[in-house]
Each structure stands twice: as C-alpha cells, then as structure tokens.
Amino acid sequence: MANSIHPTAAGDAEVTAARADAASQTAAPQVVSPRYVFPFILVTSLFALWGFANDVTNPMVKSFQQIFQLPAWQGNLVQMAFYGGYATMAIPAALVIRKISFKAGIVIGLALYAIGALLFIPASISQNYWLFLGCFYIITFGLAFLETSANPYILSMGDLRTATRRLNLAQAFNPVGSLTGMFVAAVLVLPNLQVNEFRQQHIDANPQYKEMGISPGEIGQNVSAAMETFSVEEPEAYAALRTHDLGVIRVPYVAIAIVVLGVLIAFLFSHMPHTGHSEDPIHLTETLANLATFKYLGGVLAQGLYVGAQIMCWTNIIEYGMSVLGVTASAAQWYNIAGMCLFLCSRFVWTYVLGFVRPGLLLGVLAIGGIAFSLGSVVLPAQAGIISLVLVSTCMAAMFPTIYGIALDGLTVDDAKLGSAGLIFAIVGGALMPPLQGYVIDWGSGFWGDPTTAVRASFMLPAACFVFVAVYGFMVNTRGGRTTA
C-alpha cells in the first residue's frame, strides 16, 4: 500500500510545482521584491543626496555672478564645472565599477562627494572663484560614481520587465533632495546674502525707476554698475560683504558633507547584493557593437539635450524672475521650489502611467509639453511666462529615468554598466548648455538693449532641446521591440 501511494504523492508534488512555476511566470512581476527592499531603500537615498547637490547649486549661479561681478556666461561656468565632472569621470567610474562592485563604486563616490564639499572651507577663505569651480568639479567626480553605480544597480534589483518602473520609483526620491536643496537656498542662503540686500537698498534709493518705467533687466544693470562703483570707492566694505556672503554659501556644503559621511558609514557596514563584479575581460569591440543602436546612441544624445534643458530652466528661472518679473532672487527661488514640487508629484504619477503606456510614447508626449511650456515663457506676459516655465518641470519629471531605461533595454549586465557610463557622460549637456544660454543673455542684452527681452529669448534653447527628445521617444515607440515598463 505504501509503495502504491508514493508515486502518486510524487506526481502530485510535481504537478503542484509546475503550477506554481507557471503562476510565477504569468503573475504580474513585482517592482521591488521583498529580498531587495532594504538595499533598494539604501541605494535610493543616494538619489536624494545628488538631488540636493544639484539644486542647492542652481541658485549659486546668480549669487556668484553678483558677488564676483561676473557676466552671465561666466556665472554659468558654475554649471560647466558641476556637470563637467560627470563628463570627466563617468567612463572611468564605469570601468572601475565593472571590476569591483556597485557597492564599492558607491563608497568611492560618497568619499569624493564629501571631499569636494569640505573644500568649500578653504575656497571661501581664499575668495577665489576658480577654486569654487574646482570644488564643484570634485563633487561631481563623486556624483558620477554614484549615478553610474546606482542607476544600473536599481535596474538589476528585480525582474527586467519592471526595470524602468523601478528606476522611475527610485528617481522619484531625487526631487526630495532637490526640494531640500532649494529650500535651504531660499530660506538660509539667498535672504542672508548682503549682495541681495545691496540690490534692494539701491532700488529703494531710486524710486524714479518705477516712475520712468525702467524694465527689471535694466534695473539689474544699474545695480551691477552701482556695485562696481562700491567696490572701487569702498574696497574694505566690499571685501567684508564678499567675505560674509561666501561664508553663507559655504554652510550648506559643509553640512551636506557631514550627512554624506554618515551615509558612507551606513554602506560600509551594510550587506548589499553583490552584482557589480566581473572577472571577465572587457570585450570592447563586442560591447561597442551591442551599443551601436539607435535606441542607445539616440538615448545618449536625448539624455544630454534633456539634462541641458533641465539645468537651463532650473538655473535661469531666477534670472527670469529678476529680469522679467522684477522680483528678488529669494522670491524667484520659490518659483523654482514650486516647479520642483510639481516635478516630485509628477514622478510618481508618470511611474504609475508607465504601467499602462509604452515608455517611448510617454517620453514623446512629455517632450511636446516641454516645448509648449518653454515657448510659453518666451511669448507670454511676465507672470504667465514664469508660471509656464514652472510647468515645464511637470513634463521633465519622467524624462531622465525613462530615457535611461529605454537606452539600456535588452543589454547584458556588463554591457549595461558601460552603457550606463555613456548616459551619465551625457549629463555634460548640463555643463555646455547653461553657459550658452548665459551667452545668449549677454549678447541679446546688447542687441536688444534690454536684458528682459534677452532672458525671454534664451528659453528658446530648452525648447529646441525638447524637440529631439520628442523625436527620439516617438521613433523608439514606432520601432517597437522589447521595451521594459
């Protein structure tokens, strides 16, 4: 009797296992499986950390421009230094990560981030603009390691079918750090800069500006001339002003360095999935052949143009507020915060929508919206124009992770590590486009005789960037093929 039962029981077990296996194949895949929850949370914290660095830095462009009395293009070199670090370090970081691990790459990135931020102390003491640029450059050496590690690490933490949604979910926490950086700038930095007090005192002392109908851009030119005169006639007072303001700017960077060191310690003592090491030699020819597709190469170009558009909109919204709307730098920063709030909320919305809409189609539609809102800032009246500029953030919310997921779709883990470097290298768009926009503002101010018109016209640049992003999204969607959602 026993012998007759065992075969039946074994058969039942096989049937049960087969049914369970079939169910697992047909069930909707989880975005984050339980065994990856802790490492997912820890790595996602990095997205907030580089978000803070990105968006506490954007308002510093105008601040450094005023403190050091620089033309617009030279003030925007802050962004060239900041995002230039990505271009320099992205590929070396990918090669290092391929041979060690994602965790080791993250540790290196956090160490470089902290070092660059702490170097703000000697830079502020020396009062040398170029040393500040060096600090930004080193910070983004670290951020290149972090982004090159964290983005593909998140993609690898689970089912490939939900990779793009998982990355969008992780990226949704990037604006939390960005909002924190913006809030720190708006509340703790900009209102406490004496250069902004000087501007307001000059405007209050010249009520004829309103009576004569002088534009905000022309008022800004007059303030700059007054500051230059002040620096010549009262050099000691001007030096004290600059010492004070650079000390204020230093504070958030030293504070974030302490936070970064705390996260570094957490990674050192945490067990993380070891998926980033490869003993296999790099077959460069084969890897380049795998990457030589429109989906990947077009994604790199689309990413570069998107990042350029994003940084132009978020950096020069302060210039727009001051030169077009006529508000203070700290007041203009609140428009930036409003845009980031929309960006944060939209990230979660678009992550949900990606469960039903192909990534390429969503990307194309959002890029069309970006074009419309960018052009709205050019042609609409001042208040409507800055609202339109704020609304661009809604469209940008899903672009970076969606382009990233599309471009790396279908690649092996090792190819994705090197492919990730190209997409992080594309962040160089944030280094190249803002100085170009600054040049348009400087040149246009002379051409039209009024900075207000020049600032408006400069936002045609992000609109042009979104055109290619739209083309890329629609073409990828039309060509079809397996695309993660």
Side-chain angles (χ1 to χ4, degrees):
M1 178 68 69
N3 289 337
S4 65
I5 291 174
H6 286 175
T8 305
D12 289 343
E14 290 176 3
V15 170
T16 301
R19 287 175 177 172
D21 185 62
S24 67
Q25 293 295 323
T26 57
Q30 294 176 308
V31 176
V32 182
S33 62
R35 71 190 184 103
Y36 285 125
V37 169
F38 175 74
F40 178 84
I41 292 172
L42 196 56
V43 175
T44 296
S45 71
L46 302 176
F47 290 74
L49 284 180
W50 71 65
F52 180 91
N54 290 340
D55 289 285
V56 79
T57 298
N58 290 337
M60 301 309 166
V61 172
K62 188 64 178 179
S63 299
F64 279 122
Q65 184 182 339
Q66 291 177 303
I67 293 168
F68 288 104
Q69 290 297 288
L70 305 171
W73 75 266
Q74 200 167 355
N76 275 278
L77 290 180
V78 166
Q79 300 293 40
M80 175 169 277
F82 191 91
Y83 291 96
Y86 283 104
T88 304
M89 193 54 66
I91 293 176
L95 295 174
V96 170
I97 292 163
R98 189 180 185 277
K99 280 299 179 184
I100 47 177
S101 68
F102 286 129
K103 177 180 176 178
I106 289 169
V107 168
I108 293 170
L110 289 169
L112 289 170
Y113 186 167
I115 291 170
L118 289 172
L119 286 175
F120 266 71
I121 298 174
S124 62
I125 294 172
S126 68
Q127 299 190 13
N128 188 308
Y129 178 59
W130 302 103
L131 287 182
F132 280 104
L133 297 185
C135 294
F136 289 122
Y137 198 52
I138 293 171
I139 286 173
T140 48
F141 278 4
L143 299 190
F145 266 94
L146 294 184
E147 295 209 38
T148 304
S149 303
N151 284 292
Y153 204 3
I154 290 292
L155 289 174
S156 71
M157 287 184 183
D159 196 299
L160 290 177
R161 291 172 290 175
T162 58
T164 300
R165 290 180 67 193
R166 186 162 49 254
L167 185 56
N168 267 275
L169 179 60
Q171 286 273 1
F173 291 89
N174 172 263
V176 174
S178 296
L179 273 172
T180 304
M182 288 181 170
F183 184 80
V184 166
V187 175
L188 301 179
V189 178
L190 297 177
N192 293 312
L193 294 179
Q194 291 181 355
V195 70
N196 289 328
E197 294 178 12
F198 181 93
R199 174 189 175 87
Q200 192 58 48
Q201 290 171 0
H202 176 84
I203 293 173
D204 293 342
N206 292 274
Q208 69 272 18
Y209 287 161
K210 291 184 178 179
E211 298 170 5
M212 298 170 61
I214 297 177
S215 72
E218 291 175 302
I219 292 174
Q221 288 182 324
N222 293 341
V223 171
S224 295
M227 176 65 79
E228 186 174 352
T229 301
F230 173 66
S231 67
V232 174
E233 295 180 351
E234 301 182 54
E236 292 183 1
Y238 173 71
L241 178 151
R242 195 159 71 171
T243 298
H244 173 273
D245 285 0
L246 293 177
V248 171
I249 287 175
R250 173 181 65 203
V251 172
Y253 291 94
V254 175
I256 195 60
I258 295 171
V259 174
V260 168
L261 289 173
V263 176
L264 172 59
I265 292 171
F267 268 96
L268 286 173
F269 290 96
S270 297
H271 175 73
M272 303 293 290
H274 190 63
T275 60
H277 177 70
S278 176
E279 295 292 347
D280 296 332
I282 298 174
H283 300 290
L284 188 59
T285 302
E286 182 180 342
T287 298
L288 292 177
N290 293 336
L291 297 178
T293 64
F294 173 77
K295 183 186 287 186
Y296 178 75
L297 297 178
V300 170
L301 181 55
Q303 197 76 289
L305 292 171
Y306 156 68
V307 173
Q310 174 189 287
I311 303 308
M312 285 189 286
C313 290
W314 288 352
T315 297
N316 286 307
I317 194 172
I318 292 180
E319 186 73 63
Y320 192 99
M322 296 176 72
S323 298
V324 179
L325 206 60
V327 300
T328 63
S330 55
Q333 176 66 358
W334 285 103
Y335 286 100
N336 228 348
I337 291 174
M340 185 53 66
C341 288
L342 288 175
F343 188 86
L344 173 59
C345 295
S346 299
R347 266 271 168 90
F348 289 102
V349 172
W350 302 136
T351 299
Y352 175 77
V353 170
L354 277 170
F356 309 95
V357 178
R358 289 178 64 85
L361 177 60
L362 178 64
L363 180 64
V365 171
L366 292 178
I368 293 295
I371 295 168
F373 288 130
S374 297
L375 293 178
S377 69
V378 178
V379 301
L380 294 174
Q383 187 66 52
I386 200 166
I387 291 173
S388 185
L389 189 54
V390 167
L391 291 173
V392 175
S393 293
T394 303
C395 300
M396 294 192 296
M399 288 188 183
F400 185 94
T402 301
I403 295 171
Y404 203 102
I406 291 172
L408 297 185
D409 179 45
L411 297 177
T412 65
V413 173
D414 280 343
D415 286 348
K417 290 171 193 170
L418 294 179
S420 174
L423 291 162
I424 299 304
F425 176 85
I427 294 176
V428 73
L432 301 177
M433 299 305 292
L436 178 59
Q437 188 179 23
Y439 177 78
V440 170
I441 293 171
D442 290 333
W443 175 83
S445 298
F447 181 78
W448 284 294
D450 182 4
T452 300
T453 304
V455 170
R456 281 182 173 280
S458 72
F459 283 91
M460 294 183 70
L461 287 175
C465 292
F466 287 129
V467 170
F468 182 81
V469 177
V471 170
Y472 174 73
F474 288 130
M475 287 187 68
V476 167
N477 182 66
T478 301
R479 292 187 177 199
R482 188 179 69 81
T483 304
T484 54

